[in-house]
Amino acid sequence: MRPSVALGGGGRRKAGAAAAAASREWLVVPASGQARVEEAGKHAVMARTGLPARDLRVLDPLLSYPSTILGRERAIVVNLERVKAVITAAEVLLPNSKDPAFSSFVCDLQARVLASSSDQAAEFTDMDGESSAVTSPFPALISSKANGVGMANMNANVVGGMTHSNSMPTLTATKDGNTKVLPFEFRALEVCLESACRSLEEETSTLEQEAYPALDELTSKISTLNLERVRQIKSRLVAISGRVQKVRDELEHLLDDEMDMAEMYLTEKLTRQENSETSSRVEVDDPSQLEDERDEDYRSEAEVSNGSFIGYKPHIEELEMLLEAYFVQIDGTLNKLSHLREYVDDTEDYINIMLDDKQNQLLQMGVMLSTATVVITAGVAVVGIFGMNIGISLYTDPTNDDEKRASNMRFWETTLGTIAGCTIMYIVAMGWGKRSGLLQ
């Protein structure tokens, strides 16, 4: 019996270890803005958010996934750079991390949520004449007239028709002049987009500050150290450009697909679901009318499920304005990187031109030295001929002073004539090379 007890204990320990490995810490930021740390397993998060397991794998820090924004029935999955979050209509779930950038992101998220709650309470006061706190975990869309005092207090920057502020919630202007507070999931999504875009913008600015002086120094002095610096800068440029391009492509994909954007209206879908449940409990006097309404709802749901969206236009103006604003921002960052890449390419072309010019100069010098070698070789041939042991009058030993002077004269005439002939041959060869274009 002892072996069985040992095996049973080991099995329990393995099961406990597996459960501990499956569970992880999540930082939960509800609509009230009071963050808390919870430990939950994968199945608990799936039941809580309605997400499949493949969507949760996108948030795994040990796995590398491209930038993704997924709209599901009850949640939005965000994976942008270091920002990984699951956004629902009532809360935001973040994989807990000790990264300083993560702490800064959480602070921005809490500040945005708290500011939105206070702003909604202020709007209730303006509409009803009395102060009322927002206690619902699902912030509704609240409309109010955009007066001069409210707009002066916001102190926000308007980008593409949308107002942004670090301390106030995002408001969108409607066609009738009203301002509308975005639902909770869009405010959380905006913080994620803002954090990702800001991170990429900071990395781009840092790279620009390092790249331009290094490239200018390389053009003035070509050395191994400068070439290595430029090589590292180009590697960083390629990596950052790829990351920015992925974020831009994801935003462009969302803007091109209206149904994906419509899936992200979690608060609106939850409100419709509650209204439908409420209306279903209301008794209808005419049973045939109830049956007709059920048939109509069934047909509409069947058309949507089959992908037939003819005549169906979701109201996605608010989310579209939000995504367009950050699409413009990330597109500007990509343009900066494109300009930097063009500057790097121009510098490389300039360096190649300089190296080609140096190579041409070396080739010309080689031609000149080769020509001089040929000419000197001709002179050496003449000297070799005269060095042969043959009997000619030039080699006759002088017997008197007159013959000695004549012999010395003939020697210098021969030597100087050989040197002059070699020089004339070299000058003729150089002139022919410049005339034919081989030399400059």
Side-chain angles (χ1 to χ4, degrees):
M1 297 299 292
R2 288 184 179 178
S4 62
V5 173
L7 290 174
R12 285 193 295 271
R13 284 195 297 270
K14 290 181 181 179
S23 62
R24 58 185 302 182
E25 290 186 352
W26 295 81
L27 185 65
V28 182
V29 182
S32 60
Q34 299 177 355
R36 64 182 184 274
V37 178
E38 296 183 5
E39 187 171 354
K42 180 175 66 174
H43 296 286
V45 176
M46 292 169 57
R48 187 171 183 172
T49 60
L51 294 175
R54 65 176 180 273
D55 291 342
L56 291 180
R57 281 195 290 270
V58 175
L59 306 178
D60 194 342
L62 301 178
L63 301 178
S64 177
Y65 280 90
S67 297
T68 307
I69 301 177
L70 303 175
R72 297 297 183 247
E73 182 65 26
R74 293 165 48 192
I76 300 174
V77 181
V78 179
N79 177 31
L80 297 175
E81 292 299 309
R82 292 187 294 267
V83 179
K84 299 178 182 292
V86 177
I87 304 172
T88 65
E91 59 188 7
V92 180
L93 281 74
L94 307 169
N96 199 11
S97 175
K98 296 181 180 179
D99 189 5
F102 176 77
S103 302
S104 176
F105 167 71
V106 173
C107 292
D108 292 344
L109 180 60
Q110 288 180 299
R112 186 68 58 87
V113 171
L114 290 174
S116 63
S117 300
S118 61
D119 187 81
Q120 286 184 357
E123 289 192 2
F124 274 124
T125 304
D126 294 339
M127 294 174 61
D128 301 334
E130 58 181 5
S131 177
S132 59
V134 180
T135 58
S136 173
F138 309 104
L141 299 178
I142 304 171
S143 301
S144 63
K145 279 289 182 180
N147 49 35
V149 177
M151 295 301 291
N153 291 336
M154 277 196 304
N155 239 351
N157 299 323
V158 179
V159 179
M162 184 167 55
T163 305
H164 296 277
S165 175
N166 292 331
S167 59
M168 298 298 291
T170 303
L171 302 178
T172 57
T174 57
K175 295 181 180 179
D176 56 355
N178 294 342
T179 56
K180 182 176 293 185
V181 179
L182 291 178
F184 173 79
E185 62 269 17
F186 292 165
R187 295 196 300 270
L189 178 62
E190 181 184 10
V191 177
C192 297
L193 292 171
E194 182 180 356
S195 178
C197 293
R198 182 172 62 245
S199 174
L200 294 173
E201 181 70 24
E202 290 175 355
E203 293 187 25
T204 302
S205 301
T206 303
L207 183 62
E208 286 180 336
Q209 294 175 2
E210 297 178 4
Y212 287 112
L215 294 171
D216 294 339
E217 185 176 357
L218 179 63
T219 55
S220 61
K221 180 181 179 181
I222 302 175
S223 63
T224 305
L225 180 61
N226 292 335
L227 288 173
E228 179 63 21
R229 288 178 58 191
V230 172
R231 186 192 67 81
Q232 295 177 359
I233 288 173
K234 189 173 182 180
S235 299
R236 291 169 54 191
L237 174 63
V238 172
I240 296 176
S241 300
R243 291 158 52 194
V244 173
Q245 185 67 45
K246 289 178 181 178
V247 176
R248 182 188 180 279
D249 292 343
E250 182 62 24
L251 293 179
E252 186 178 10
H253 171 72
L254 287 176
L255 289 171
D256 292 339
D257 197 333
E258 295 183 353
M259 300 312 302
D260 285 349
M261 287 191 287
E263 284 291 329
M264 297 184 183
Y265 280 77
L266 305 179
T267 302
E268 185 176 350
K269 289 191 294 185
L270 185 61
T271 304
R272 290 180 179 177
Q273 183 179 0
E274 292 177 352
N275 293 337
S276 62
E277 292 177 355
T278 303
S279 60
S280 63
R281 289 192 292 267
V282 178
E283 294 183 358
V284 181
D285 297 336
D286 190 0
S288 60
Q289 180 181 358
L290 179 60
E291 188 68 24
D292 294 340
E293 291 179 356
R294 289 178 178 175
D295 294 340
E296 184 178 356
D297 293 340
Y298 176 77
R299 286 193 300 269
S300 62
E301 291 179 359
E303 290 178 357
V304 171
S305 62
N306 291 331
S308 177
F309 300 106
I310 300 175
Y312 175 70
K313 295 201 175 189
H315 301 285
I316 55 173
E317 291 81 5
E318 298 168 347
L319 180 58
E320 189 173 10
M321 291 171 64
L322 175 65
L323 295 178
E324 282 180 352
Y326 288 99
F327 177 79
V328 171
Q329 182 177 352
I330 202 68
D331 190 60
T333 303
L334 186 61
N335 289 335
K336 290 182 180 180
L337 294 172
S338 300
H339 294 160
L340 182 57
R341 182 188 291 273
E342 292 177 358
Y343 194 83
V344 172
D345 294 339
D346 293 342
T347 303
E348 289 182 351
D349 295 339
Y350 178 73
I351 297 299
N352 291 330
I353 292 173
M354 291 179 61
L355 294 177
D356 292 341
D357 182 65
K358 295 293 183 182
Q359 186 177 5
N360 292 334
Q361 293 179 5
L362 292 175
L363 291 174
Q364 290 181 11
M365 183 176 294
V367 171
M368 296 171 65
L369 292 176
S370 299
T371 306
T373 303
V374 171
V375 172
I376 292 173
T377 303
V380 171
V382 173
V383 174
I385 293 173
F386 283 103
M388 293 181 181
N389 190 12
I390 58 178
I392 59 176
S393 60
L394 186 63
Y395 297 152
T396 304
D397 294 333
T399 59
N400 52 31
D401 294 338
D402 294 337
E403 290 180 356
K404 288 181 179 181
R405 286 194 296 269
S407 177
N408 291 334
M409 185 62 66
R410 287 194 299 269
F411 171 77
W412 287 111
E413 288 176 355
T414 303
T415 303
L416 294 176
T418 303
I419 294 174
C422 292
T423 303
I424 292 172
M425 290 175 59
Y426 183 76
I427 293 174
V428 171
M430 291 296 101
W432 176 81
K434 290 184 177 180
R435 185 174 182 180
S436 61
L438 297 178
L439 299 175
Q440 293 180 358

